[in-house]
Amino acid sequence: MKSPLYTLITVFLFLSLSVESQEKPNVIVIMADDLGYGDVGFNGSTEIPTPNIDRIADQGVVFTNGYTSYCVCGPSRAGFITGRYQQRFGFGRNPLYRVNDPAMGLPLDETTIAESVSKVGYTSGIIGKWHLGAHISNHPLNRGFDEFFGHLGGGHRYFPEEYNIKDSYKAKNESESYYTWLMRNHTPEETDEYITDEFSQEAVDFVTRHKDHPFFLFVSYNAPHGPLQAKTEDLALFPDLTDKRKTYAAMVHAVDRGVGQLIDKLQELNIEENTLIFFLSDNGGPESKNGSDNGVLRGGKSDVYEGGYRVPFAMQWKKEISSNTVFDAPVSSLDIFATLAALSEAPVNPEKPLDGVNLIPYLTGENSSQPHDALYVYKFDQDRHAVRQGDYKLLFHKEGTNKKMYNITTNISENDGSNLYWNSTYRPQRDALEAMLSDWEAQLIHPRFLGLIHKDDIWATEVTISENNLNLDLNASHQLEASIVPNDAINEVIEWVSTHPEVATVDANGLVQTHTEGHTVIISRVIDKQSVFNSCIVKVGTPAQATNIQLSENSVERVVGKTVQLSANVSPSQTPIYALQWSSSNPAVATVDENGFVLTHSIGNAIVSATVIGSNQITAACTLQVNEYTGIELSVGTTPVAEKIVLYPNPVTDSFQIEFEGSGSQPAYVDIYNNVGALLAKKTVNNSSDKIDISNLSTGTYFVCIRKKDSRQTLQIIKK
């Protein structure tokens, strides 16, 4: 037999030592989609019984003033999953389903709950709706989650016989994404259950598999979001309801059934006591669209009245929180990340502090003050603004017209007959709220992508700029002009950036001001279409030329969707300041921005180059190989066998799974070695799939050798 060919797949990830403790609580967040405030029993519903959702409230705490950070789905979820107001990072719209646009979703430099808790030993899973970006770089497994089962877009059809698009990355828009197969990790999966029941069973399976160590599970139902589709037997439970309301009620019942199955399983596994369970909706109910009922609240989804973002909100933690607790102070979905981070001692980015707070001290009475000084909401495209502090809430639309202020505790329905804005008695409260709202909105940025409301509009395709090269003296200024093409595009805001502000800065209107000798690149970019930009090279004074450049990496392997930050060392020194032009030989495989940040898009190879501007084409290059997320072919010698291995996840926490795609029914033999070649474990796996437990292995790099008949292959895995 020929010597085996060992092909190595290397997956790089920021690693940290896992620290597990059974004292750390499990956390489950159950989020409904477009659920009405008045459509759960603990908020008074009698038309739609929710006995299982009510178990969370009865066994824990009801937040009577529970809010989300936004009044529509995508931004609300972006706020929850980062613990930060989403407008801080430009997620001010519902994203479109665009698999080729990495900017259409959660920015890659924001930290998710899953990324944070993975650093302290938690296993994280998401089941259901994602809606935080359809480009592969924003796939849940590329945003910190260890497991994903669900759909990438903002909604989905409910019956599997309607799923006629196997590959989610072949769906061209939001409408088509509703018809995709569900995705398990990165693999399409054919299903046969009503989608809500499918997600509920997956949640039960997840907690069963991970009962012995801390986990974070996001059960992200797409119900009762449209389309309104319910099982016949669920519809029969509501004979007195009709039309939308009947179907909606049946859909809520299916969610409640799943919540009951999940809580029952936690009890059966004897882990309910130390599991925090949050239940909430992502925003208020759109009453006219799906038949929901926001009860006494004014307005609904998309509004900044209470009905838009005040939601059913309950939590239980039987180990620490007394049952039948009612908490009346305003709280936010942003608090979930902060609470979990505090309890698990998970790290947060000090440069991007959380806007939420740890709720536990407030619930136990350790802290008797209110959790938040104020809560805010700002809907950019409709120009809607609101702030609540204590009992008082200020809101307005359209650049300050129609201003209103209410005492929410005495006027929960925001009746305009009790508008206090023009009442001189309440001027101190009004002025304080206006100042707070103004200060908060000054911290926010323009949306970084166009949204669902713009899908039929004309988009910018080009930026023209008045000069592409400038030679300027020290302490000089120059006005650059830019415009968007076509001129009737919906985009109207250009942002200006200097890659080396030490050399020259540029203001929001394109005015360049020089400071020291060197080069910089001034970039004029469409703020909500990041891929549309133009640039101008600015030379200041007479800087010396470079003689050499060396990149931080000469060759890199990544899996699709992962990133790499390249840097350069330019000789003879960094004075004067050298500017670089970065480029990719194959943008379909990988792109690189003006700062050397490389994002991979598809399988293949590319050369990423950096050229020193103004220095006679002094260039360095990095060879980039982009692999599938998992999977290689078995091989004998140099000949691949017509069978493919799929291994996931990688990096791995406690166990990984191997699947074989191809013909044949012979078992495979798996050997695990450490990085010095010592055999640590052996296992036989069958042809369908099997899990390999490596929970006893410490953090590090290992090699998995898979043998099948006369073929074999070795993969490198990283244990987190």
Side-chain angles (χ1 to χ4, degrees):
M1 189 176 83
K2 296 181 181 179
S3 298
L5 172 68
Y6 291 92
T7 301
L8 203 57
I9 287 186
T10 307
V11 179
F12 295 90
L13 191 70
F14 292 109
L15 298 176
S16 60
L17 185 64
S18 294
V19 181
E20 290 191 7
S21 169
Q22 291 307 307
E23 293 304 310
K24 293 179 178 178
N26 307 309
V27 176
I28 299 174
V29 177
I30 304 170
M31 185 176 287
D33 195 346
D34 289 2
L35 178 66
Y37 183 81
D39 287 327
V40 292
F42 67 80
N43 276 350
S45 175
T46 56
E47 279 191 334
I48 307 175
T50 55
N52 294 299
I53 295 171
D54 295 344
R55 287 164 68 182
I56 300 172
D58 295 340
Q59 296 172 155
V61 55
V62 173
F63 299 105
T64 59
N65 288 267
Y67 294 87
T68 56
S69 62
Y70 207 77
C71 48
V72 298
C73 309
S76 171
R77 290 164 186 264
F80 148 71
I81 212 161
T82 61
R84 287 162 41 83
Y85 281 110
Q86 56 286 330
Q87 298 99 329
R88 293 194 187 279
F89 46 85
F91 204 124
R93 293 168 171 150
N94 260 335
L96 287 151
Y97 191 91
R98 292 289 186 270
V99 299
N100 295 319
D101 188 350
M104 185 72 73
L106 192 66
L108 299 178
D109 59 353
E110 290 295 323
T111 301
T112 69
I113 297 179
E115 288 168 328
S116 178
V117 298
S118 70
K119 296 178 181 178
V120 290
Y122 276 68
T123 298
S124 296
I126 173 173
I127 295 164
K129 170 176 172 173
W130 179 236
H131 206 199
L132 295 176
H135 185 270
I136 195 168
S137 63
N138 256 323
H139 185 285
L141 266 61
N142 287 329
R143 300 314 304 263
F145 287 93
D146 299 295
E147 299 182 19
F148 169 58
F149 180 80
H151 55 92
L152 296 176
H156 211 275
R157 308 292 292 183
Y158 287 80
F159 291 104
E161 55 268 27
E162 298 184 51
Y163 308 164
N164 54 26
I165 301 176
K166 180 176 181 180
D167 185 353
S168 295
Y169 295 114
K170 293 292 171 49
K172 300 182 184 66
N173 51 48
E174 186 76 14
S175 297
E176 288 191 4
S177 75
Y178 278 53
Y179 292 87
T180 61
W181 287 25
L182 298 182
M183 183 182 286
R184 184 177 301 281
N185 297 327
H186 287 276
T187 304
E189 184 166 304
E190 193 168 16
T191 54
D192 57 8
E193 293 281 350
Y194 180 71
I195 198 171
T196 304
D197 292 340
E198 192 86 57
F199 291 158
S200 298
Q201 185 56 55
E202 286 291 327
V204 168
D205 291 347
F206 181 93
V207 300
T208 303
R209 287 184 283 108
H210 298 293
K211 62 184 176 61
D212 294 326
H213 59 270
F215 61 77
F216 164 61
L217 175 62
F218 180 24
V219 185
S220 181
Y221 287 112
N222 59 304
H225 188 290
L228 296 178
Q229 295 180 302
K231 297 170 70 173
T232 301
E233 54 267 40
D234 290 340
L235 289 167
L237 298 173
F238 300 93
D240 296 331
L241 300 180
T242 59
D243 301 325
K244 290 180 182 178
R245 183 67 175 167
K246 183 184 185 77
T247 307
Y248 170 87
M251 296 168 76
V252 174
H253 172 75
V255 171
D256 185 74
R257 175 172 58 234
V259 171
Q261 292 167 353
L262 180 57
I263 296 176
D264 288 346
K265 178 56 68 172
L266 295 174
Q267 292 176 344
E268 177 188 323
L269 298 172
N270 198 31
I271 60 173
E272 185 190 20
E273 287 285 325
N274 199 30
T275 299
L276 277 82
I277 308 174
F278 289 89
F279 178 87
L280 72 164
S281 180
D282 59 354
N283 47 250
E287 294 178 325
S288 63
K289 287 188 176 181
N290 69 351
S292 55
D293 182 4
N294 292 318
V296 298
L297 304 184
R298 180 176 180 177
K301 178 179 181 177
S302 189
D303 287 325
V304 297
Y305 292 110
E306 295 289 281
Y309 65 114
R310 184 167 172 173
V311 297
F313 203 149
M315 186 203 83
Q316 76 169 64
W317 186 18
K318 297 175 75 172
K319 181 180 177 181
E320 298 290 341
I321 305 300
S322 300
S323 61
N324 295 304
T325 298
V326 176
F327 192 78
D328 292 324
V331 301
S332 170
S333 59
L334 302 173
D335 299 329
I336 296 173
F337 190 161
T339 301
L340 177 52
L343 295 176
S344 66
E345 300 180 333
V348 295
N349 185 349
E351 296 181 357
K352 297 183 176 183
L354 302 182
D355 288 306
V357 301
N358 174 16
L359 291 174
I360 303 305
Y362 300 94
L363 299 177
T364 60
E366 179 183 346
N367 191 329
S368 59
S369 63
Q370 294 210 354
H372 294 275
D373 187 31
L375 292 175
Y376 305 89
V377 65
Y378 170 39
K379 198 160 191 287
F380 179 84
D381 289 305
Q382 283 74 36
D383 196 18
R384 298 172 180 171
H385 314 249
V387 55
R388 177 176 176 180
Q389 183 185 45
D391 293 340
Y392 294 97
K393 176 181 174 182
L394 172 83
L395 67 89
F396 63 86
H397 304 88
K398 303 297 181 186
E399 299 179 349
T401 62
N402 198 24
K403 288 189 173 182
K404 302 173 182 180
M405 189 175 77
Y406 308 109
N407 183 323
I408 289 297
T409 58
T410 60
N411 184 16
I412 189 174
S413 299
E414 298 171 289
N415 187 321
D416 284 341
S418 299
N419 179 10
L420 305 176
Y421 187 85
W422 303 108
N423 188 323
S424 60
T425 303
Y426 297 94
R427 181 158 186 176
Q429 293 92 333
R430 184 191 79 182
D431 292 347
L433 288 172
E434 288 192 322
M436 294 174 70
L437 184 59
S438 178
D439 289 346
W440 176 73
E441 291 190 354
Q443 304 169 34
L444 312 180
I445 66 173
H446 191 284
R448 307 296 284 186
F449 51 80
L450 295 178
L452 282 172
I453 63 172
H454 304 111
K455 63 183 179 180
D456 298 321
D457 292 319
I458 298 171
W459 292 20
T461 58
E462 181 184 354
V463 174
T464 63
I465 194 167
S466 53
E467 282 103 350
N468 294 113
N469 287 277
L470 281 175
N471 294 319
L472 299 177
D473 296 328
L474 284 173
N475 301 314
S477 61
H478 185 87
Q479 181 67 55
L480 290 174
E481 304 288 345
S483 59
I484 293 174
V485 178
N487 60 14
D488 59 346
I490 185 67
N491 319 71
E492 58 182 19
V493 179
I494 289 176
E495 64 175 349
W496 294 87
V497 176
S498 172
T499 61
H500 291 79
E502 312 97 315
V503 174
T505 53
V506 62
D507 70 8
N509 299 310
L511 180 64
V512 179
Q513 180 70 48
T514 66
H515 305 291
T516 189
E517 287 193 331
H519 290 84
T520 188
V521 180
I522 303 295
I523 297 169
S524 173
R525 176 179 278 115
V526 179
I527 198 167
D528 49 19
K529 186 68 172 118
Q530 295 283 294
S531 60
V532 179
F533 63 92
N534 209 326
S535 60
C536 174
I537 296 171
V538 177
K539 175 185 174 184
V540 179
T542 56
Q545 292 195 355
T547 58
N548 187 45
I549 178 174
Q550 185 175 1
L551 295 186
S552 54
E553 304 281 352
N554 294 322
S555 64
V556 174
E557 285 188 77
R558 286 290 186 273
V559 291
V560 177
K562 292 295 186 180
T563 64
V564 58
Q565 178 66 61
L566 296 177
S567 60
N569 182 27
V570 183
S571 301
S573 68
Q574 288 295 330
T575 305
I577 297 170
Y578 299 106
L580 303 176
Q581 280 188 314
W582 293 89
S583 64
S584 169
S585 66
N586 194 346
V589 170
T591 51
V592 58
D593 72 6
E594 63 271 15
N595 299 307
F597 181 78
V598 180
L599 176 60
T600 63
H601 303 277
S602 62
I603 301 166
N605 297 285
I607 297 173
V608 176
S609 301
T611 299
V612 183
I613 294 172
S615 294
N616 296 325
Q617 297 299 306
I618 293 178
T619 300
C622 173
T623 301
L624 178 66
Q625 178 181 327
V626 183
N627 303 307
E628 280 188 276
Y629 189 81
T630 55
I632 57 174
E633 288 185 332
L634 286 167
S635 61
V636 177
T638 58
T639 305
V641 178
E643 185 153 36
K644 181 181 173 185
I645 307 166
V646 177
L647 179 152
Y648 59 89
N650 187 9
V652 60
T653 51
D654 289 322
S655 66
F656 61 87
Q657 188 160 325
I658 293 177
E659 293 184 358
F660 296 92
E661 299 179 358
S663 59
S665 58
Q666 300 84 6
Y669 306 97
V670 179
D671 301 330
I672 301 177
Y673 298 86
N674 64 14
N675 59 3
V676 294
L679 179 63
L680 303 178
K682 299 173 70 72
K683 185 174 179 66
T684 301
V685 299
N686 61 35
N687 216 26
S688 56
S689 65
D690 206 350
K691 285 192 181 345
I692 313 294
D693 185 359
I694 58 169
S695 58
N696 62 321
L697 300 183
S698 59
T699 299
T701 301
Y702 298 90
F703 298 92
V704 178
C705 179
I706 303 166
R707 295 174 288 115
K708 194 168 188 185
K709 292 185 66 177
D710 294 330
S711 61
R712 63 190 297 155
Q713 189 60 271
T714 300
L715 298 91
Q716 180 176 329
I717 63 169
I718 296 172
K719 170 75 186 297
K720 292 197 292 183

